Amino acid sequence: MKKILAGRQMVKSFGEGNEKRRVLDGVSVEISQGEFVSVMGPSGSGKSTLLYALSGMDTIDSGEVSFNGTGLSGLGEKQLADLRRTDMGFVFQQPTLLKNLNILDNIILPSVRDNRKKTRQLSEKARALMERTGIGELENRSISQASGGQLQRAGICRALMNDPKVIFGDEPTGALNSTSANEIMALLSDIHRTGVTILLVTHDVKVAARAERVLFLLDGKIAGEYNPSRHTGSIADLDSREKQLRDWLAGMKF
Amino acid sequence: MYFRAIRNGMVKNKGISLVSVLFIAAAAMLVSLATVLSVNLGGAIDTLMTRAKTPHFMQMHSGRLDLERLTSFAREETLVDEFQVVEFLNVDGALILFENGSLAGSVQDNGFSVQNSAFDFLLGLDGTPVQVSDGGVYVPITYLQEGLAKAGDRIRVSDTWFTVAGFIRDSQMNSLLSSSKRFLLSERDYASIRSLGTVEYLIEFRLHDLADLGGFEAAYTSAGLEANGPTLTYPLFRMLNGLSDGLMIAVILLVSALVLGVAFLCIRFTLLAKIEDDYREIGVMKAIGLRVNDIKKIYLVHYAAIAAAGSILGFALSFAVRDALLENIRLYMGESDTSTLTPFLAAAGVLLVFLVIVAYVNGTLGRFRKISPAQAVRFGISGEPSAGGKAFRLSNGSFPGTQVFLGMKDVLARKKLYITMLAVLVLAAFISIVPRNLYHTISSEDFMTYMGTGKSDLRIDLQQTDDIAGKASEIAAMMESDGSIARFVVLTTKTFKVKHPDGPGYRLKVELGDHSVFPLAFAEGRKPDTENEIALSVMNAQELGKKVGDSLSLIISGQERELSVCGIYSDVTNGGKTAKAVFSDPSADIMWSVISAELVDASLTDNKVMEYSDRFSYAKVSDIGEFIAQTYGSTIGSIGKASYAAIAVALSLTVLITLLFMRMLVRRDRYPIAVMKAFGFTNADVRKQYVARSVFILTVGMLLGMVLANTLGENLAAALIASFGAASFTFVVNPLESYLILPLLMVAAVLAATAFGTRDAGKISISENIKE
């Protein structure tokens, strides 16, 4: 399979002097096109930092990151922004919607930037996505008039607007109850089945178990990699995968 | 813990806190100065007029004088305490030579007097009546200030030399606005030069009680005594003495109100932003049972500290500056007797500033009561709906650009926050436009038409001479044949008795002739066109209680004649009490004539003035441009300077507030900025949004500022100009300057400040700020 994302010997530190801490300590990863990868690890292990580094939102101190064969270190701020807008989608723990805009405007915002003249078509596309994610009735609501789960769906709609090659998720279900979380994950699995690459950071085993591959990060290094057998996607199958992953995690010494 | 969090937050906003302190200091300083100046001015005028024993009533008179009749009137009139007739020897300015030049170009009537024995003393700089020895002369203080003379200088009057022995404060004629200036000589020297000029009499009275002035004026008029000249009274002298410094005080008060307004805006701005930041903390404090007053106290203490620091600083600064501003008052009027009180009054003024600020902060903090603890704790954002711009949607597609849309949307959604910046920009537009318009207005050649004089190049006065009518026609004949004179008019002033249903007669000075040649600006109505029409000056209209359309009866050639009032105009000439009409009157009893002329080539005015002066030695020929330059030149000049200063202040204010505002916005908007960057907006996109916000607010602000400048500003300026005597006027606007250059300057200032203030937007890290 073609490699869509690759990081080699990534190093990233935070803090100054004695407080300086290596959050990524020589991490290398490769992610193939169409793959669904989860990243797990305890708090402070560098999960989110890895995601920000691979998506070009943060720079790294040393090492290399490439997206679809292009090295990110050679790109300027504008090109990185263009890349995020056209080829990547993001879902965060909080919905990260702008409170000045209603839900529909929030969803079309990144795509409208480059296609002002196609506002009507984009709005239609957004409405279709909203229908698909079950929030069709919310387009004119302000964000204070929707629940956390609904807002997270709106965030996913926004991430899908530009038909991204990769969706990055940073604890996308972290702020939701288990019912909403299951629904969101089912949605992301559906999106994955259409061929979109997904990289997800989570500490929830149930969420990670949906991935094709799980990376375990500890103290800025990849401490292990879990490759479950192929699965059918049924509920029973999910439960067994979750159990297997738990067993594997229990074997990780941290 | 929350207390500390809030307090720390306020310490972080050092920049804006410092700016608030500075504006409060400036406001406190100005209020303190205005207090000190008013007290000193009032006190100094009182002291000067008390020591000089200024007349309560003075009638200037040229021509024959019946001293016996006047004396018996004064003896029999019970209201009179003291009475004297003193001489004022009016000498042509060209005959008075200083070491630095003559007074030939002076528009003042310069003349000589001797020290009076009973009252109306001319005081030396030590505040006591001056005694002059032979060969010495005391010079009006104004010439010391203008640098024309200093003690020990030699002055030549025609062929006689005098030495400047000192300077005098003249409680009647100190002010540049009074048209005569008195030099003081010894009795012997006075007698020796008496033949050089014409004698004008000052008929002066002091009353037992100043309150009886109105009754006395009526008695004097009805007695039909000498009255060929202006009448002046004690309150008028007081006003003339106070006017120029009084104007300065008024301007200082106006500026201090503006500065205090800006301080309010700064405080409001930080306070609202702070309340929004601390929304959750405030909610938590309310939730755990703290009382609103306890929470308010935390904020109030901080702002009281800022207000106190500013007030004390301003009070201290006012002491450093006050002497410079008091210099003029001290020079012209001497020390005030009330000066010991002034520091306390100034402190009271500053205390008032402090209290007003604290009350304002307290009022603004009242909105704490509206914060719902539940909502604050759950959402951490203020629940106030973003009222504005709901219909303004990205999905409608009807917007000029994504970044422009987002910028404008933010302004509409957070109106309360942006209204502060809007107010500053409105203010800045206002204070940059109004003084410029005022300057263009009073420096415009048409301005004199608001002051009782038509617009012409040359003016010839025939006064205090015999056969005025004959001499006027002689000059007119020469002008008629003079090819360089485009047009001219002879206006003759005569007095007529007004028939009054009750009380004594009133003598009205009426200027007769063709008023269409050099027209005046009328406050109401229009110029007289027919024989039965008359136009009155504002003062006369008030005194006679007449409006446009009323009728007025004059005794003309012994016959009563009904005239209708066709117009009312402002006038500063001849004591402001004039009238204009076109009827013909055969009587030869002329007070004076004025011949106004317009030249084909105005640049030749100088030559023409010389030519006519030489040809007609009995006439006073003046260059109108020169006349204006001397009378109003310094005022026009200072308003010009002040208007540039106002532009500088407005632009600095714009830059400062925009800069602070943008920095604060960027700091508060870290989260949405991080979100937008995460989803692929570039730093340039984000900055464009801020520029869009600024330009949007600026556009609204400037439009409002221009509208205000042409409404409120014009009225304010009218009030100021009314103090010069013009009752009504319209702004002369230089459109290029007011509607192009000034707005462009403001746009440049705002863009620069926005660009600089949003520099940090690019440095905002996505990963650090996206987790709210």
Side-chain angles (χ1 to χ4, degrees):
Chain A
M1 279 296 258
K2 190 186 169 196
K3 298 284 173 267
I4 183 111
L5 266 178
R8 281 206 301 124
Q9 292 298 319
M10 293 182 286
V11 175
K12 173 82 178 172
S13 302
F14 288 115
E16 300 278 318
N18 289 339
E19 309 243 314
K20 193 160 178 167
R21 206 165 58 84
R22 273 198 172 190
V23 183
L24 291 182
D25 193 3
V27 176
S28 296
V29 291
E30 287 193 332
I31 294 167
S32 304
Q33 191 160 0
E35 214 182 351
F36 185 161
V37 178
S38 290
V39 181
M40 296 195 76
S43 288
S45 59
K47 304 188 294 288
S48 293
T49 308
L50 176 65
L51 184 133
Y52 288 120
L54 287 172
S55 61
M57 282 199 272
D58 248 353
T59 53
I60 48 174
D61 303 340
S62 67
E64 265 175 44
V65 180
S66 68
F67 178 86
N68 215 5
T70 313
L72 298 190
S73 57
L75 301 181
E77 180 263 336
K78 282 195 178 69
Q79 288 137 316
L80 284 172
D82 291 347
L83 197 62
R84 283 200 297 276
R85 200 169 61 248
T86 53
D87 290 335
M88 302 176 181
F90 297 89
V91 185
F92 297 94
Q93 180 171 4
Q94 300 293 338
T96 60
L97 300 177
L98 302 181
K99 53 181 178 178
N100 284 341
L101 305 180
N102 68 19
I103 289 179
L104 178 64
D105 280 1
N106 258 298
I107 291 172
I108 64 171
L109 178 63
S111 47
V112 152
R113 185 198 178 280
D114 304 310
N115 299 292
R116 275 213 306 124
K117 296 208 171 97
K118 293 188 189 152
T119 309
R120 303 231 169 259
Q121 291 98 302
L122 289 171
S123 299
E124 281 316 307
K125 182 175 182 181
R127 285 190 189 100
L129 283 169
M130 289 173 82
E131 284 298 332
R132 184 175 145 201
T133 54
I135 52 170
E137 74 284 6
L138 297 183
E139 65 167 85
N140 289 329
R141 298 260 186 99
S142 82
I143 64 165
S144 57
Q145 295 168 312
S147 71
Q150 289 170 326
L151 294 179
Q152 201 58 295
R153 284 161 205 256
I156 292 172
C157 291
R158 176 176 58 182
L160 291 174
M161 276 304 288
N162 278 332
D163 301 317
K165 294 191 172 68
V166 182
I167 288 185
F168 294 88
D170 187 4
E171 304 274 12
T173 59
L176 302 177
N177 61 35
S178 60
T179 316
S180 296
N182 275 329
E183 286 167 5
I184 293 293
M185 284 317 298
L187 187 59
L188 284 174
S189 297
D190 284 348
I191 292 164
H192 170 236
R193 272 192 283 279
T194 65
V196 178
T197 309
I198 294 183
L199 176 64
L200 214 72
V201 164
T202 183
H203 58 255
D204 185 341
V205 182
K206 223 182 181 71
V207 169
R210 289 182 181 260
E212 294 165 324
R213 187 150 64 103
V214 179
L215 302 175
F216 190 82
L217 230 59
L218 191 62
D219 297 333
K221 290 189 163 84
I222 293 184
E225 186 173 329
Y226 174 69
N227 292 287
S229 50
R230 283 201 68 77
H231 55 88
T232 61
S234 70
I235 299 293
D237 186 41
L238 264 179
D239 283 346
S240 75
R241 287 159 60 87
E242 184 189 334
K243 194 176 168 304
Q244 286 170 33
L245 180 55
R246 276 189 204 285
D247 292 344
W248 180 75
L249 285 170
M252 301 299 305
K253 293 186 180 94
F254 69 93
Chain B
M1 184 181 79
Y2 292 115
F3 284 40
R4 206 178 304 136
I6 288 167
R7 214 164 278 164
N8 290 345
M10 290 198 261
V11 174
K12 265 190 220 150
N13 288 335
K14 265 186 231 128
I16 191 102
S17 296
L18 186 68
V19 171
S20 304
V21 168
L22 291 180
F23 276 111
I24 294 169
M29 177 180 87
L30 292 169
V31 167
S32 165
L33 283 176
T35 315
V36 169
L37 288 175
S38 324
V39 172
N40 271 289
L41 178 64
I45 292 175
D46 281 341
T47 308
L48 173 71
M49 292 181 71
T50 309
R51 290 193 185 161
K53 290 188 82 180
T54 308
H56 291 161
F57 177 90
M58 182 180 83
Q59 174 68 55
M60 293 177 86
H61 178 77
S62 49
R64 268 181 41 78
L65 181 101
D66 188 344
L67 188 58
E68 214 164 293
R69 192 165 58 132
L70 278 167
T71 313
S72 73
F73 166 79
R75 201 180 301 123
E76 280 157 28
E77 180 58 61
T78 50
L79 298 174
V80 174
D81 180 24
E82 286 173 289
F83 157 73
Q84 68 187 10
V85 174
V86 302
E87 287 188 4
F88 174 72
L89 181 69
N90 202 332
V91 174
D92 192 317
L95 295 179
I96 305 174
L97 281 155
F98 285 94
E99 289 185 4
N100 305 334
S102 83
L103 289 177
S106 171
V107 292
Q108 299 280 351
D109 289 329
N110 292 290
F112 295 86
S113 292
V114 295
Q115 184 62 279
N116 298 313
S117 53
F119 62 98
D120 186 19
F121 301 121
L122 299 171
L123 305 180
L125 297 187
D126 59 355
T128 57
V130 166
Q131 296 305 329
V132 204
S133 354
D134 291 345
V137 63
Y138 277 80
V139 176
I141 189 89
T142 204
Y143 295 127
L144 169 66
Q145 209 205 16
E146 284 175 15
L148 268 175
K150 56 182 190 300
D153 277 4
R154 307 264 289 158
I155 291 184
R156 201 180 84 189
V157 180
S158 191
D159 297 321
T160 320
W161 286 91
F162 298 99
T163 306
V164 176
F167 295 88
I168 42 172
R169 296 192 180 119
D170 184 335
S171 67
Q172 289 186 25
M173 301 176 185
N174 247 352
S175 165
L176 270 177
L177 294 165
S178 90
S179 58
S180 308
K181 292 286 165 280
R182 286 193 278 191
F183 289 71
L184 200 60
L185 290 180
S186 69
E187 306 244 358
R188 186 192 300 189
D189 290 337
Y190 180 81
S192 73
I193 64 163
R194 194 165 183 267
S195 57
L196 290 176
T198 48
V199 170
E200 221 175 307
Y201 297 100
L202 311 182
I203 305 161
E204 304 180 333
F205 295 89
R206 277 185 65 94
L207 310 180
H208 293 292
D209 186 352
L210 185 58
D212 295 327
L213 187 60
F216 176 79
E217 277 189 273
Y220 187 88
T221 312
S222 62
L225 297 166
E226 280 72 1
N228 186 17
T231 311
L232 295 155
T233 57
Y234 196 85
L236 193 62
F237 290 133
R238 224 188 122 77
M239 198 193 78
L240 283 175
N241 279 325
L243 204 55
S244 54
D245 289 292
L247 267 180
M248 179 167 79
I249 293 170
V251 169
I252 289 177
L253 276 176
L254 203 67
V255 173
S256 63
L258 283 177
V259 172
L260 195 61
V262 174
F264 271 12
L265 289 173
C266 284
I267 289 170
R268 181 193 141 87
F269 168 46
T270 38
L271 201 53
L272 289 188
K274 195 74 192 97
I275 291 175
E276 214 173 300
D277 279 352
D278 298 343
Y279 198 75
R280 191 193 293 267
E281 278 84 352
I282 295 164
V284 171
M285 285 191 278
K286 281 180 89 167
I288 61 174
L290 284 176
R291 292 163 65 175
V292 169
N293 279 342
D294 298 332
I295 308 171
K296 272 168 85 175
K297 230 175 267 167
I298 312 167
Y299 292 84
L300 208 51
V301 164
H302 176 78
Y303 285 96
I306 286 183
S311 301
I312 291 168
L313 182 64
F315 189 58
L317 281 176
S318 73
F319 277 86
V321 187
R322 56 186 253 183
D323 282 338
L325 292 175
L326 280 173
E327 199 182 343
N328 196 48
I329 296 177
R330 286 194 176 129
L331 179 65
Y332 273 83
M333 280 161 262
E335 280 298 336
S336 157
D337 286 344
T338 49
S339 52
T340 45
L341 260 178
T342 44
F344 298 102
L345 290 169
V350 172
L351 187 65
L352 189 69
V353 170
F354 172 79
L355 290 177
V356 164
I357 292 168
V358 171
Y360 177 75
V361 172
N362 194 40
T364 309
L365 290 174
R367 68 177 61 209
F368 281 176
R369 298 192 190 278
K370 287 196 230 143
I371 294 177
S372 139
Q375 199 177 23
V377 174
R378 272 176 63 208
F379 301 112
I381 49 166
S382 104
E384 288 168 38
S386 58
K390 279 224 175 84
F392 192 49
R393 279 182 199 157
L394 196 53
S395 43
N396 287 351
S398 54
F399 55 89
T402 313
Q403 313 313 334
V404 175
F405 167 83
L406 288 170
M408 288 171 69
K409 180 82 185 174
D410 194 66
V411 175
L412 294 173
R414 295 196 285 179
K415 285 195 205 83
K416 274 196 180 153
L417 192 64
Y418 287 101
I419 223 151
T420 311
M421 184 172 161
L422 178 70
V424 171
L425 292 176
V426 170
L427 197 70
F430 186 82
I431 61 177
S432 59
I433 293 174
V434 173
R436 281 314 283 171
N437 285 356
L438 179 62
Y439 171 73
H440 286 304
T441 306
I442 64 169
S443 62
S444 122
E445 287 195 330
D446 291 329
F447 187 62
M448 62 188 349
T449 64
Y450 292 113
M451 314 284 265
T453 316
K455 183 184 156 191
S456 60
D457 296 323
L458 191 80
R459 173 185 164 121
I460 301 177
D461 286 89
L462 287 170
Q463 207 170 354
Q464 296 162 21
T465 172
D466 53 345
D467 189 21
I468 290 177
K471 287 170 175 163
S473 44
E474 192 183 344
I475 296 172
M478 170 152 168
M479 285 191 166
E480 197 71 60
S481 57
D482 186 340
S484 60
I485 303 261
R487 56 206 173 118
F488 72 95
V489 69
V490 182
L491 296 172
T492 303
T493 299
K494 299 182 178 181
T495 54
F496 299 95
K497 263 205 170 129
V498 178
K499 186 150 190 298
H500 222 262
D502 43 49
Y506 182 88
R507 296 191 79 84
L508 194 63
K509 297 186 191 86
V510 184
E511 193 173 42
L512 299 170
D514 184 353
H515 299 288
S516 63
V517 182
F518 300 111
L520 287 181
F522 276 79
E524 281 170 67
R526 51 166 180 78
K527 65 180 168 47
D529 288 328
T530 68
E531 292 247 325
N532 1 329
E533 285 178 332
I534 187 163
L536 297 176
S537 71
V538 170
M539 282 176 94
N540 263 333
Q542 277 166 359
E543 199 129 322
L544 294 165
K546 297 290 180 194
K547 298 189 298 291
V548 172
D550 289 355
S551 62
L552 180 76
S553 293
L554 287 190
I555 312 291
I556 302 168
S557 315
Q559 301 224 313
E560 188 180 331
R561 185 149 158 201
E562 187 106 333
L563 298 169
S564 100
V565 177
C566 62
I568 292 172
Y569 58 92
S570 319
D571 199 350
V572 291
T573 62
N574 302 305
K577 294 186 182 177
T578 60
K580 295 182 194 290
V582 295
F583 60 78
S584 48
D585 170 59
S587 83
D589 194 7
I590 295 173
M591 290 186 79
W592 64 78
S593 278
V594 175
I595 300 152
S596 303
E598 188 183 87
L599 304 186
V600 176
D601 181 358
S603 64
L604 300 176
T605 309
D606 269 0
N607 296 338
K608 273 290 150 203
V609 169
M610 292 225 283
E611 187 187 331
Y612 278 78
S613 304
D614 288 348
R615 176 81 173 71
F616 306 104
S617 59
Y618 48 79
K620 182 177 174 187
V621 185
S622 24
D623 175 345
I624 293 286
E626 187 66 16
F627 172 78
I628 291 185
Q630 284 197 27
T631 317
Y632 300 111
S634 66
T635 309
I636 292 173
S638 15
I639 289 180
K641 270 184 224 148
S643 70
Y644 283 120
I647 292 173
V649 168
L651 288 179
S652 324
L653 197 64
T654 305
V655 168
L656 185 69
I657 297 291
T658 308
L659 194 63
L660 287 168
F661 195 80
M662 285 299 144
R663 285 178 64 89
M664 180 170 275
L665 271 184
V666 168
R667 206 169 53 226
R668 288 158 51 78
D669 290 349
R670 277 175 310 218
Y671 174 69
I673 290 173
V675 169
M676 283 186 283
K677 285 172 76 169
F679 288 96
F681 280 72
T682 61
N683 293 336
D685 288 344
V686 173
R687 291 177 75 170
K688 263 184 228 161
Q689 293 178 17
Y690 284 89
V691 169
R693 298 179 196 189
S694 295
V695 171
F696 182 38
I697 303 166
L698 178 66
T699 310
V700 175
M702 277 192 314
L703 287 176
L704 281 176
M706 284 174 191
V707 169
L708 278 179
N710 283 307
T711 50
L712 178 70
E714 198 170 55
N715 290 335
L716 263 179
L720 192 68
I721 285 182
S723 64
F724 291 105
S728 78
F729 80 105
T730 41
F731 262 155
V732 174
V733 179
N734 179 344
L736 185 70
E737 191 177 273
S738 293
Y739 302 134
L740 188 71
I741 297 175
L742 286 177
L744 280 180
L745 281 175
M746 282 188 70
V747 168
V750 164
L751 286 183
T754 305
F756 199 69
T758 56
R759 258 177 329 163
D760 290 349
K763 293 188 198 137
I764 287 174
S765 143
I766 301 172
S767 53
E768 280 168 34
N769 291 294
I770 203 152
K771 288 177 183 164
E772 201 176 25

